[in-house]
Amino acid sequence: MRKFLGLSAYLACASLGPNALAQAGTSGKPPIDYTILHAQVILDHLGFSPGILDGRDGQSLTAALKGFQTSRGMTPSGKLDTSTLKALAPYASLRPVRKLTLDAETLKGPYVNPIPKDPEKQAKLPSLGYTRPLEKLAEMFHTTPEVLVELNPGGRAIGPGAEFVFPNALPASRDYPADIKPEWRATLTMLNVEAKVPEADHLVVDKSEKVLKVFDKQDRLVAQFNATMGSEHDPLPIGTWKIYGADTNPKFHYNPKLFWDARKGSDPAMLPPGPNGPVGVVWLDLSKEHYGIHGTPEPQLIGRTESHGCIRLTNWDAARLALMVKPGTKAVFQE
């Protein structure tokens, strides 16, 4: 990416100081590249999700760039090249990071730590909430705890009144539909989900590209999300289905008979709701029995692991998609 920094000062984060590009991570990863982070932030705002906002290249960013390029009538190279930088330039006022002051409401739980792995033990918990404030803050700003630590070196304590730097995931609007449930409104607000989204006419889940594409009535690509879909044991059900409806902040009925890797002797269990539940913050029910589109407690693994056949998105992407669809929306699953 170094060659593009000189071509696009409008995408660089000069205001962060001379050491902004030299903050190496602790896990052997390259340092955060603020040109990449800026592009990720813009793509995230536009609905072409790059996955976690981490300032690094990879398959999720490549897929997001291809989607954005396709939506603009460009050759889908998946590269942050000169023409793509120019196409992103009108949105450069969306700065890559924001310094924000934490308050008590932002840090409010409930927190559950540790979360047991056994579903029968999980069923006894009041919720499957975040394990700690750092995890909640990371999901709020569409990233990981590790990235937040990189952005804020020095080990400062998390608490009301503390200032921290976050990827700029703040939405342009929180004007959510007036008829949604208060607890769902609170979840959308907490996850910084954009309220002004295009209406989906149909979805395409593409196995080869590992993405979920959203099209409008004119068959234009208007949004795209990285996705995990199926496995050898539970392959993606190729075909045309419909979305029956959305279950927000859902409980999850764990039925071991539907899981090939369930522990022998496991009993069915009703797991409480929460962002760390198996289906995250929302379940979009499909006309294919036992299948849905849903969130996940591990956003960094989207597109990199397997699922039990369902389509898994980050919690913030699943929530955004839920605002785009309605009962009857067509969903095409293809190889």
Side-chain angles (χ1 to χ4, degrees), residues 181-195:
K181 295 181 292 185
E183 58 268 27
W184 181 231
R185 182 182 299 276
T187 298
L188 294 171
T189 299
M190 182 270 294
L191 287 174
N192 284 316
V193 176
E194 174 60 48

Side-chain angles (χ1 to χ4, degrees), residues 18 33 41 55 60 151 153 163 189 195 225 232 238 241 247 257 259 277 282 286 288 305 317 324:
D33 184 318
V41 164
S60 297
L151 289 172
E163 283 190 338
T189 299
F225 307 107
E232 179 183 351
I238 303 302
W241 314 100
D247 187 5
K257 293 181 180 179
F259 293 86
V282 64
L286 292 166
K288 173 70 173 175
T305 55
D317 287 341
M324 298 180 181

Side-chain angles (χ1 to χ4, degrees), residues 110-123:
Y111 297 107
V112 182
N113 194 0
I115 295 178
K117 293 183 178 181
D118 191 324
E120 295 171 47
K121 293 181 180 179
Q122 291 181 2

Side-chain angles (χ1 to χ4, degrees), residues 1 16 32 34 42 46 85 88 137 153 161 175 202 213 217-218 244 276 284 289 291 323:
M1 300 311 305
L16 290 175
I32 293 172
Y34 282 86
I42 293 171
L46 295 177
L85 287 169
L88 292 171
L137 290 170
D175 187 18
H202 60 283
K213 302 179 181 182
K217 290 182 179 180
Q218 285 73 46
Y244 278 163
N276 270 323
L284 299 177
E289 188 177 13
Y291 283 80
L323 292 176

Side-chain angles (χ1 to χ4, degrees):
M1 300 311 305
R2 208 177 279 274
K3 65 185 254 188
F4 296 121
L5 291 173
L7 294 172
S8 56
Y10 45 80
L11 284 177
C13 193
S15 62
L16 290 175
N19 296 320
L21 294 177
Q23 296 173 0
T26 58
S27 59
K29 293 182 179 180
I32 293 172
D33 184 318
Y34 282 86
T35 296
I36 292 178
L37 180 59
H38 200 176
Q40 288 175 327
V41 164
I42 293 171
L43 291 166
D44 186 64
H45 277 82
L46 295 177
F48 292 89
S49 176
I52 60 173
L53 304 178
D54 63 355
R56 296 182 174 97
D57 205 354
Q59 67 180 49
S60 297
L61 176 60
T62 297
L65 286 169
K66 285 182 177 180
F68 171 76
Q69 291 161 342
T70 298
S71 74
R72 266 56 179 181
M74 304 167 64
T75 300
S77 66
K79 299 182 182 300
L80 196 56
D81 51 27
T82 304
S83 59
T84 304
L85 287 169
K86 289 180 179 178
L88 292 171
Y91 311 99
S93 61
L94 291 167
R95 304 311 299 158
V97 296
R98 294 285 297 273
K99 180 178 283 189
L100 302 170
T101 302
L102 302 181
D103 58 25
E105 180 65 24
T106 299
L107 298 173
K108 184 172 66 175
Y111 297 107
V112 182
N113 194 0
I115 295 178
K117 293 183 178 181
D118 191 324
E120 295 171 47
K121 293 181 180 179
Q122 291 181 2
K124 297 177 182 179
L125 297 173
S127 76
L128 289 171
Y130 296 113
T131 58
R132 62 199 192 284
L134 181 60
E135 183 188 28
K136 179 184 180 182
L137 290 170
E139 186 138 295
M140 288 177 66
F141 291 92
H142 305 180
T143 190
T144 66
E146 292 77 14
V147 171
L148 291 187
V149 170
E150 289 181 74
L151 289 172
N152 298 276
R156 284 169 287 166
I158 295 175
E163 283 190 338
F164 288 93
V165 173
F166 298 96
N168 184 13
L170 298 177
S173 171
R174 300 182 193 272
D175 187 18
Y176 306 116
D179 59 348
I180 64 174
K181 295 181 292 185
E183 58 268 27
W184 181 231
R185 182 182 299 276
T187 298
L188 294 171
T189 299
M190 182 270 294
L191 287 174
N192 284 316
V193 176
E194 174 60 48
K196 295 189 181 301
V197 296
E199 182 178 335
D201 177 74
H202 60 283
L203 314 177
V204 173
V205 175
D206 193 297
K207 182 179 178 181
S208 63
E209 296 184 41
K210 297 183 179 180
V211 296
L212 184 154
K213 302 179 181 182
V214 181
F215 294 88
D216 65 11
K217 290 182 179 180
Q218 285 73 46
D219 203 32
R220 295 176 301 198
L221 180 64
V222 293
Q224 180 181 287
F225 307 107
N226 288 281
T228 293
M229 54 193 77
S231 66
E232 179 183 351
H233 294 275
D234 301 289
L236 181 73
I238 303 302
T240 300
W241 314 100
K242 288 185 178 181
I243 291 176
Y244 278 163
D247 187 5
T248 57
N249 295 312
K251 294 181 179 179
F252 180 74
H253 181 237
Y254 172 73
N255 183 353
K257 293 181 180 179
L258 301 177
F259 293 86
W260 64 269
D261 54 350
R263 178 174 56 82
K264 285 187 177 181
S266 293
D267 293 323
M270 183 62 75
L271 307 188
N276 270 323
V279 296
V281 301
V282 64
W283 169 273
L284 299 177
D285 197 31
L286 292 166
S287 54
K288 173 70 173 175
E289 188 177 13
H290 304 308
Y291 283 80
I293 302 169
H294 60 82
T296 180
E298 297 182 293
Q300 73 279 8
L301 298 182
I302 292 296
R304 293 164 174 80
T305 55
E306 298 180 330
S307 75
H308 288 95
C310 292
I311 294 81
R312 190 186 302 155
L313 312 176
T314 67
N315 275 332
W316 58 86
D317 287 341
R320 185 166 182 154
L321 179 63
L323 292 176
M324 298 180 181
V325 301
K326 59 185 178 183
T329 299
K330 183 172 69 172
V332 179
F333 294 0
Q334 63 187 33
E335 295 282 358

